[in-house]
Amino acid sequence: MSIYTKSQQEIAENISSKAVIKDWKDWRWQFRHTIKTVEDFEDVLNISFSPEEKKEMKITLRKFPMAITPYYASLIDIENYKDDPVFKQSCCSTEELHVESYEMGDPLAEDSDSPVENLTHRYPDRVLFHVSNMCAMYCRHCTRKRKVGDQDHIPAKDSLIKGLEYIREHEEVRDVLLSGGDPFMLSDSAIEWLLDEISSIEHVEVIRIGTRMPVVLPYRITEDLIDILSKYDNLWINTHFNHPRELTDSSRQALKKLVKAGIPMGNQTVLLAGVNDCPYIMKSLMHKLVKNRVRPYYIYQCDLSEGLSHFRTPVSKGIEIIESLRGHTSGFAVPTYVIDAPGGGGKIPVTPNYVVSYATNKVILRNYEGVICTYKEPDSYEPVFCDRKCETCTLELKTEGREYLPPVGVEKLMADYDDETSLIPADNERIIRRNSNG
Ligand SMILES: *Cc1c(COP(=O)(O)O)cnc(C)c1O
């Protein structure tokens, strides 16, 4: 099967009459010829916008810049580009200038939860490390739209060193998630340096990389990069396919290389109106992913970032999609649908309800077919009282030295070893009154 499809051939010729297949598959060539202006877009794709449209698109570009690799542009169906999922994800639209009152620059409060520059520490045991602020393609639905194309945000090496220091000083961090921007925008040597540095920190058990390269610039997954990545046996990669059309020969080859290097692959999809807000499209996407040994990880509800209202669906659409997957297809083809809580609460799973009712020792459940069944719970279950003294417990846990963190939230309410019976907001008036009376 050839990588040079008809549309790739045309685009390559429009960019340079001298372009050969070797150029097309060279990620640096792709990067050098990234489409950044409306005129470039028209020339490369043989599309012409009306003068009105062009004027409006240029206004959008001043606020939110555009970048599309020739490869990703070649996936656009020129005949029907206005409805095209690749076009919608990559080409600027005036709808982005429409800002709703409830939208925010930083809806996930990543900057507020940032103890040092370029690092977000939100969860107890893991951190998000923004190691690059550049991307090969600027997704129009980017949750970090506030930073897109912002040259000031390319982290300098000493800023990355500060992040590494933070991780080194915080022994509770057992999982480091490299994101950006796209970490694979860094040079091979910078990637190797970062992975070596993080690997040298004893308490870090897992390293993850979030990248869209297999989708928008699969030729970045070179043999040299694979040689580097395959050295780390605790590395996981999550990529970002949103539509079955994005699984092409080129992207499949990139995935195959990563899988062969022994890296577990996951995928995060964003639920986008007009792109993939359809149970059939989502099921086809999940099937194509697992066929290529990529495990669907999350479907995200679109964040409340500024200028994304035209992409947002109601939450019911996400539940409908999960309803159409769970039970209907392989369990490992069903991702978790999450809402990343505005204000920084983290990812919250949202699912259809399967527990219909609950009686003493009996759970009433419904399955995907609508069949309602009863699960009889044991009449005699002797719970093990937990005082957190694992040495004297009848259940065995060899923790290999890692101290587990104290329980938080609802977990704490459930625990035997904690007397707390309620979680009360800090500004609860009744409790404030009670305390001032006392
Ligand atoms: C998503 C995210 C993580 C990782 O969350 P998982 O559910 O473990 O994949 C960590 N930190 C931040 C700030 C995140 O947004």
Side-chain angles (χ1 to χ4, degrees):
M1 240 185 281
S2 108
I3 287 205
Y4 238 177
T5 64
K6 189 165 158 284
S7 63
Q8 291 177 353
Q9 177 75 48
E10 279 168 17
I11 287 181
E13 279 168 13
N14 288 344
I15 290 172
S16 156
S17 56
K18 288 189 232 103
V20 292
I21 186 91
K22 199 160 152 283
D23 295 324
W24 182 265
K25 289 164 76 175
D26 175 356
W27 69 275
R28 289 185 186 85
W29 184 92
Q30 288 276 339
F31 192 59
R32 268 202 307 281
H33 294 97
T34 296
I35 301 162
K36 293 187 170 158
T37 65
V38 181
E39 285 79 11
D40 270 356
F41 191 92
E42 290 184 311
D43 293 347
V44 171
L45 282 123
N46 294 329
I47 286 177
S48 17
F49 300 109
S50 71
E52 271 303 274
E53 283 174 319
K54 264 169 87 163
K55 199 173 135 218
E56 293 190 336
M57 286 164 86
K58 284 182 180 172
I59 297 171
T60 310
L61 282 192
R62 265 185 249 141
K63 190 163 179 203
F64 300 122
M66 177 166 77
I68 315 172
T69 59
Y71 162 79
Y72 196 60
S74 77
L75 309 189
I76 297 172
D77 174 7
I78 310 284
E79 303 298 314
N80 187 24
Y81 70 89
K82 287 207 166 140
D83 289 330
D84 187 90
V86 174
F87 177 81
K88 286 185 179 177
Q89 288 182 71
S90 58
C91 188
C92 59
S93 150
T94 39
E95 290 177 290
E96 295 167 41
L97 296 176
H98 179 90
V99 177
E100 297 282 356
S101 59
Y102 51 81
E103 292 180 330
M104 293 166 263
D106 178 18
L108 308 179
E110 291 184 322
D111 296 341
S112 326
D113 280 338
S114 175
V116 292
E117 207 189 347
N118 300 313
L119 187 141
T120 304
H121 192 173
R122 163 153 311 151
Y123 293 105
D125 66 343
R126 53 207 188 279
V127 294
L128 181 63
F129 194 6
H130 306 269
V131 295
S132 147
N133 269 77
M134 303 206 291
C135 281
M137 193 278 280
Y138 295 163
C139 302
R140 304 321 297 175
H141 57 275
C142 183
T143 189
R144 304 196 183 109
K145 239 173 145 61
R146 67 187 185 280
K147 293 185 176 176
V148 171
D150 189 342
Q151 293 301 315
D152 294 333
H153 275 88
I154 299 165
K157 193 164 174 177
D158 44 318
S159 153
L160 294 179
I161 289 175
K162 287 209 181 82
L164 290 167
E165 267 167 20
Y166 180 88
I167 298 166
R168 207 169 275 122
E169 282 161 14
H170 288 78
E171 288 189 18
E172 70 275 21
V173 176
R174 45 162 288 288
D175 176 0
V176 176
L177 172 42
L178 304 181
S179 180
D182 198 312
F184 287 160
M185 287 300 283
L186 297 175
S187 67
D188 285 2
S189 58
I191 292 168
E192 189 171 26
W193 170 76
L194 261 171
L195 292 174
D196 277 341
E197 287 293 315
I198 299 169
S199 298
S200 75
I201 305 172
E202 209 171 317
H203 54 263
V204 175
E205 296 173 1
V206 174
I207 308 172
R208 298 193 250 177
I209 295 175
T211 176
R212 211 178 179 198
M213 286 297 183
V215 188
V216 298
L217 186 48
Y219 314 121
R220 174 68 186 93
I221 312 303
T222 59
E223 293 302 334
D224 287 347
L225 180 62
I226 291 288
D227 285 345
I228 293 169
L229 300 178
S230 58
K231 289 196 301 180
Y232 308 92
D233 50 18
N234 58 350
L235 180 66
W236 295 59
I237 290 182
N238 261 336
T239 183
H240 175 178
F241 285 90
N242 283 337
H243 193 280
R245 274 259 304 285
E246 294 169 338
L247 283 134
T248 62
D249 286 349
S250 299
S251 64
R252 276 196 291 269
Q253 286 183 20
L255 294 174
K256 194 167 183 172
K257 284 190 209 165
L258 292 162
V259 169
K260 280 204 164 172
I263 304 166
M265 297 291 300
N267 185 72
Q268 324 201 115
T269 297
V270 183
L271 177 53
L272 297 170
V275 173
N276 59 15
D277 53 337
C278 157
Y280 295 127
I281 290 175
M282 281 291 195
K283 192 187 277 181
S284 157
L285 171 63
M286 302 311 153
H287 284 171
K288 284 197 169 184
L289 288 168
V290 297
K291 204 172 158 201
N292 291 284
R293 290 195 281 182
V294 179
R295 169 79 156 89
Y297 182 50
Y298 283 141
I299 292 180
Y300 287 99
Q301 174 64 14
C302 187
D303 286 330
L304 297 179
S305 303
E306 282 174 6
L308 301 189
S309 57
H310 59 297
F311 278 129
R312 235 169 265 132
T313 66
V315 173
S316 54
K317 185 52 77 179
I319 296 180
E320 183 188 336
I321 285 163
I322 299 300
E323 184 75 65
S324 75
L325 292 173
R326 174 63 66 200
H328 300 272
T329 191
S330 321
F332 63 83
V334 185
T336 306
Y337 170 49
V338 293
I339 301 182
D340 215 335
K347 298 173 184 74
I348 302 175
V350 181
T351 70
N353 294 324
Y354 294 100
V355 173
V356 173
S357 201
Y358 214 157
T360 311
N361 289 350
K362 251 188 199 180
V363 191
I364 314 301
L365 305 150
R366 63 100 176 169
N367 80 350
Y368 72 100
E369 302 166 302
V371 171
I372 295 186
C373 48
T374 316
Y375 177 85
K376 178 75 179 67
E377 293 181 323
D379 294 320
S380 57
Y381 169 70
E382 288 193 24
V384 184
F385 181 85
C386 177
D387 53 7
R388 280 233 153 179
K389 299 206 171 74
C390 298
E391 318 83 65
T392 57
C393 183
T394 52
L395 299 170
E396 281 207 25
L397 173 68
K398 302 272 183 273
T399 53
E400 292 174 9
R402 183 177 279 283
E403 291 266 333
Y404 280 88
L405 297 165
V408 289
V410 176
E411 180 195 16
K412 181 167 156 160
L413 296 184
M414 290 181 159
D416 296 324
Y417 45 79
D418 196 295
D419 292 337
E420 214 82 62
T421 56
S422 52
L423 296 175
I424 301 166
D427 61 352
N428 181 291
E429 265 188 50
R430 181 170 56 83
I431 301 298
I432 293 170
R433 196 161 51 238
R434 183 187 291 177
N435 290 343
S436 64
N437 290 347

